[in-house]
Coordinates of all heavy atoms in Angstrom, one line a residue:
Y318 N 10.2 73.1 55.0 CA 9.8 72.9 56.4 C 8.4 72.3 56.5 O 7.9 72.0 57.5 CB 9.8 74.2 57.2 CG 11.3 74.7 57.4 CD1 11.8 75.8 56.8 CD2 12.1 74.0 58.3 CE1 13.1 76.2 57.0 CE2 13.4 74.4 58.5 CZ 13.9 75.5 57.9 OH 15.2 75.9 58.1
W319 N 7.7 72.2 55.3 CA 6.3 71.7 55.3 C 6.2 70.3 55.8 O 5.2 69.9 56.5 CB 5.7 71.9 53.9 CG 5.3 73.3 53.6 CD1 5.9 74.1 52.7 CD2 4.3 74.1 54.3 NE1 5.4 75.3 52.7 CE2 4.4 75.4 53.7 CE3 3.4 73.9 55.3 CZ2 3.5 76.4 54.1 CZ3 2.6 74.9 55.7 CH2 2.6 76.1 55.1
P320 N 7.1 69.4 55.5 CA 7.0 68.0 56.1 C 7.0 68.0 57.6 O 6.3 67.2 58.2 CB 8.2 67.3 55.5 CG 8.5 68.0 54.3 CD 8.2 69.4 54.5
I321 N 7.7 68.9 58.2 CA 7.7 69.0 59.7 C 6.3 69.4 60.2 O 5.8 68.9 61.2 CB 8.8 69.9 60.2 CG1 10.2 69.3 59.8 CG2 8.7 70.1 61.7 CD1 11.3 70.3 60.0
A322 N 5.7 70.4 59.4 CA 4.4 70.8 59.8 C 3.3 69.7 59.6 O 2.4 69.6 60.4 CB 4.0 72.1 59.0
V323 N 3.5 69.0 58.5 CA 2.6 67.8 58.3 C 2.7 66.8 59.4 O 1.7 66.3 59.9 CB 2.8 67.2 56.9 CG1 2.0 65.9 56.8 CG2 2.4 68.2 55.8
A324 N 3.9 66.5 59.8 CA 4.1 65.5 60.9 C 3.6 66.1 62.2 O 2.9 65.3 63.0 CB 5.6 65.2 61.0
G325 N 3.8 67.3 62.5 CA 3.2 67.9 63.7 C 1.7 67.9 63.7 O 1.1 67.6 64.7
G326 N 1.1 68.3 62.6 CA -0.4 68.2 62.5 C -0.9 66.8 62.6 O -2.0 66.6 63.3
T327 N -0.2 65.9 62.1 CA -0.7 64.5 62.2 C -0.6 64.0 63.6 O -1.5 63.3 64.1 CB 0.2 63.6 61.3 OG1 0.1 64.1 59.9 CG2 -0.3 62.1 61.3
A328 N 0.5 64.3 64.3 CA 0.7 63.9 65.7 C -0.3 64.6 66.6 O -0.8 63.9 67.5 CB 2.2 64.3 66.1
L329 N -0.5 65.8 66.3 CA -1.5 66.5 67.2 C -2.9 66.0 66.9 O -3.7 65.9 67.9 CB -1.5 68.0 66.8 CG -2.0 69.0 67.9 CD1 -1.3 68.8 69.2 CD2 -1.9 70.4 67.4
T330 N -3.3 65.7 65.7 CA -4.6 65.1 65.4 C -4.7 63.7 66.1 O -5.7 63.4 66.7 CB -4.8 64.9 63.9 OG1 -4.6 66.2 63.3 CG2 -6.1 64.3 63.6
W340 N -12.3 69.6 70.2 CA -11.7 70.8 69.9 C -10.3 70.7 69.4 O -9.9 71.4 68.4 CB -11.8 71.8 71.0 CG -11.0 71.3 72.3 CD1 -11.5 70.6 73.3 CD2 -9.7 71.6 72.6 NE1 -10.5 70.3 74.2 CE2 -9.4 70.9 73.8 CE3 -8.6 72.3 71.9 CZ2 -8.1 70.9 74.4 CZ3 -7.4 72.3 72.5 CH2 -7.1 71.6 73.7
L341 N -9.5 69.8 70.0 CA -8.2 69.6 69.5 C -8.1 68.8 68.2 O -7.3 69.1 67.3 CB -7.4 68.7 70.6 CG -5.9 68.5 70.4 CD1 -5.2 69.8 70.2 CD2 -5.3 67.7 71.5
I342 N -9.1 67.9 68.0 CA -9.2 67.2 66.7 C -9.4 68.2 65.6 O -8.8 68.2 64.5 CB -10.2 66.1 66.7 CG1 -9.9 65.0 67.8 CG2 -10.5 65.5 65.4 CD1 -11.0 64.1 68.1
V343 N -10.4 69.1 65.8 CA -10.7 70.1 64.8 C -9.6 71.1 64.5 O -9.2 71.3 63.4 CB -12.0 70.9 65.2 CG1 -12.3 72.1 64.3 CG2 -13.2 70.0 65.2
L344 N -9.0 71.6 65.6 CA -7.9 72.5 65.5 C -6.7 71.9 64.7 O -6.1 72.4 63.8 CB -7.4 73.0 66.8 CG -6.3 74.0 66.9 CD1 -6.8 75.4 66.3 CD2 -5.8 74.2 68.3
A345 N -6.3 70.7 65.2 CA -5.2 70.0 64.5 C -5.5 69.5 63.1 O -4.7 69.5 62.2 CB -4.8 68.7 65.4
G346 N -6.8 69.2 62.8 CA -7.2 68.9 61.5 C -7.1 70.0 60.5 O -6.6 69.9 59.4
V347 N -7.5 71.2 61.0 CA -7.3 72.4 60.2 C -5.8 72.7 59.9 O -5.4 73.0 58.8 CB -8.0 73.6 60.9 CG1 -7.6 74.9 60.2 CG2 -9.5 73.4 60.8
A348 N -5.0 72.6 61.0 CA -3.6 72.8 60.8 C -3.0 71.8 59.9 O -2.1 72.1 59.1 CB -2.9 72.7 62.2
L349 N -3.5 70.5 59.9 CA -3.0 69.5 59.0 C -3.3 69.8 57.6 O -2.5 69.6 56.7 CB -3.5 68.1 59.5 CG -3.1 66.9 58.7 CD1 -1.6 66.8 58.7 CD2 -3.8 65.7 59.2
I350 N -4.5 70.2 57.4 CA -5.0 70.6 56.0 C -4.1 71.7 55.5 O -3.7 71.7 54.3 CB -6.5 70.9 56.0 CG1 -7.3 69.6 56.2 CG2 -6.9 71.5 54.7 CD1 -8.7 69.8 56.4
I351 N -3.9 72.8 56.3 CA -3.1 73.9 55.8 C -1.7 73.4 55.5 O -1.1 73.8 54.5 CB -3.1 75.0 56.9 CG1 -4.4 75.6 57.0 CG2 -2.0 76.0 56.6 CD1 -4.6 76.6 58.2
A352 N -1.1 72.5 56.4 CA 0.3 72.0 56.1 C 0.3 71.2 54.9 O 1.3 71.3 54.1 CB 0.7 71.2 57.3
I353 N -0.7 70.4 54.6 CA -0.7 69.6 53.4 C -0.8 70.5 52.2 O -0.1 70.2 51.2 CB -1.8 68.5 53.4 CG1 -1.5 67.5 54.5 CG2 -2.1 67.9 52.1 CD1 -2.7 66.5 54.7
C354 N -1.7 71.5 52.2 CA -1.8 72.4 51.1 C -0.5 73.1 50.9 O 0.0 73.4 49.7 CB -2.9 73.4 51.3 SG -4.5 72.6 51.2
G355 N 0.2 73.5 51.9 CA 1.5 74.2 51.8 C 2.5 73.3 51.2 O 3.3 73.7 50.4
L356 N 2.5 72.0 51.6 CA 3.5 71.1 51.0 C 3.2 70.8 49.5 O 4.1 70.8 48.7 CB 3.4 69.7 51.8 CG 4.3 68.6 51.3 CD1 5.8 69.0 51.6 CD2 4.0 67.3 52.0

Side-chain angles (χ1 to χ4, degrees):
Y318 291 109
W319 286 112
I321 297 170
V323 171
T327 304
L329 200 57
T330 304
W340 60 271
L341 185 58
I342 296 170
V343 171
L344 182 70
V347 170
L349 181 60
I350 290 171
I351 291 170
I353 289 173
C354 289
L356 180 67

